[in-house]
Amino acid sequence: MHMGRVTVRRAVERVSPSGRRRRIDALAAEEPMELRVNGKALAVTMRTPGHDVELAHGFLLSEGVIGSSEDISIARFCEGTGPDGMNTYNVLDVALAEGVPPPDTGVERNFYTTSSCGVCGKGALDAVKLKTRHSPALDEVRVTPEALTGFPDALRERQKVFESTGGLHAAGLFVDGELLVVREDVGRHNAVDKVLGWAVLQNLVPLRGAVLMVSGRASFELVQKAAMAGIPVLAAVSAPSSLAVELAEEQGMTLIGFLRGDSMNVYTGGERVVETA
């Protein structure tokens, strides 16, 4: 798996009351990745290089193209060279298994996604409310406030690149209080796709009993991605959007925001948050 180029070192001029000095700073890398399905371009996303095969699996799961790893026969990097003549590993082609219908690329869906917003190019909201194959509504998992309040620290402890750059979002998957996987990316939706792709490749989807923890805000799109993977609980350290709350309610998910210190806001699905799990 190609894992280089996660950080880039640049000279920076530090300005403070005590003067100006030059130093070397580590920046989170951001490069475009073109995702092709059966040789045909489907999406371009700005992402932090690394875990790209997971990113592709998670993206295709959250777009309703695949339901499990068996729906993909092979994922491989295409030839693509940078100025130095080396393969950039920025074009990934996924071949769907026999009988799996290719994605519907209607006029309404323009799949250029930036690192800050994955839904931006998509036309009608209805096109985004994809029907999940793994509804979280009937998941009876229970989680205690004490367990939840420990998740942000557990996530931060595993954020390697953030420590050196301060510039990445993280997503982590907890089951029975245990942190199974953490992925970081300049785009919060990419970090989530990488986590979901990991789960697809581990044959863990639907993610019954799981809590998806994200740094930053909870957007409509993150709720949608969690729902597509059958995740019953989404927790964020910051605020959710109004649409995120609406969709979580519609999907029967528990949505938690402002999870900091020993408190949190439970926006939907409060029955899953109980004193004794």
Side-chain angles (χ1 to χ4, degrees):
M1 182 180 288
H2 181 70
M3 276 300 298
R5 312 194 319 274
V6 174
T7 60
V8 177
R9 299 179 73 73
R10 290 291 299 255
V12 61
E13 192 174 14
R14 176 91 172 149
V15 180
S16 68
S18 56
R20 303 162 81 108
R21 59 192 180 90
R22 291 185 72 73
R23 47 176 272 206
I24 298 295
D25 197 23
L27 305 177
E30 180 174 36
E31 294 183 16
M33 183 183 88
E34 178 179 309
L35 176 60
R36 296 178 185 170
V37 174
N38 297 340
K40 195 174 164 192
L42 173 70
V44 175
T45 185
M46 299 303 292
R47 85 339 180 172
T48 301
H51 301 289
D52 290 328
V53 173
E54 292 177 353
L55 176 60
H57 279 71
F59 180 81
L60 293 174
L61 174 78
S62 66
E63 292 296 332
V65 178
I66 66 167
S68 73
S69 59
E70 287 168 10
D71 292 340
I72 290 181
S73 63
I74 191 167
R76 59 189 179 82
F77 287 102
C78 304
E79 291 302 316
T81 54
D84 56 2
M86 304 289 282
N87 193 324
T88 59
Y89 296 97
N90 280 344
V91 181
L92 186 71
D93 191 10
V94 172
L96 298 176
E98 209 175 323
V100 177
D104 167 32
T105 48
V107 235
E108 289 194 309
R109 293 169 84 77
N110 159 20
F111 276 105
Y112 177 77
T113 66
T114 69
S115 54
S116 58
C117 166
V119 174
C120 299
K122 297 177 187 172
L125 210 58
D126 293 343
V128 178
K129 286 191 178 179
L130 298 167
K131 290 284 172 275
T132 178
R133 310 177 193 195
H134 311 296
S135 173
L138 300 175
D139 196 312
E140 292 181 356
V141 68
R142 296 291 180 261
V143 58
T144 65
E146 293 72 37
L148 285 163
T149 54
F151 290 173
D153 286 345
L155 187 65
R156 174 51 73 77
E157 276 167 31
R158 292 264 296 270
Q159 273 192 265
K160 295 185 176 64
V161 187
F162 184 88
E163 288 309 315
S164 64
T165 65
L168 287 193
H169 292 284
L173 203 55
F174 291 85
V175 175
D176 294 329
E178 187 192 346
L179 181 52
L180 301 185
V181 62
V182 172
R183 293 290 179 259
E184 296 180 279
D185 201 278
V186 282
R188 61 170 61 83
H189 62 285
N190 289 334
V192 168
D193 278 343
K194 288 176 179 182
V195 163
L196 299 188
W198 175 87
V200 170
L201 290 163
Q202 300 288 324
N203 292 316
L204 295 176
V205 173
L207 283 159
R208 301 274 176 250
V211 177
L212 177 65
M213 174 82 221
V214 296
S215 63
R217 301 188 304 276
S219 64
F220 171 88
E221 191 190 24
L222 297 195
V223 172
Q224 179 203 303
K225 288 179 182 297
M228 293 300 279
I231 293 171
V233 184
L234 173 62
V237 297
S238 195
S241 69
S242 60
L243 270 182
V245 176
E246 273 178 45
L247 185 64
E249 194 159 52
E250 195 179 281
Q251 294 288 341
M253 283 171 59
T254 298
L255 180 60
I256 294 161
F258 295 104
L259 178 53
R260 297 170 189 176
D262 57 4
S263 67
M264 69 201 74
N265 288 355
V266 182
Y267 293 89
T268 63
E271 71 282 351
R272 291 193 180 98
V273 180
V274 291
E275 296 311 315
T276 49

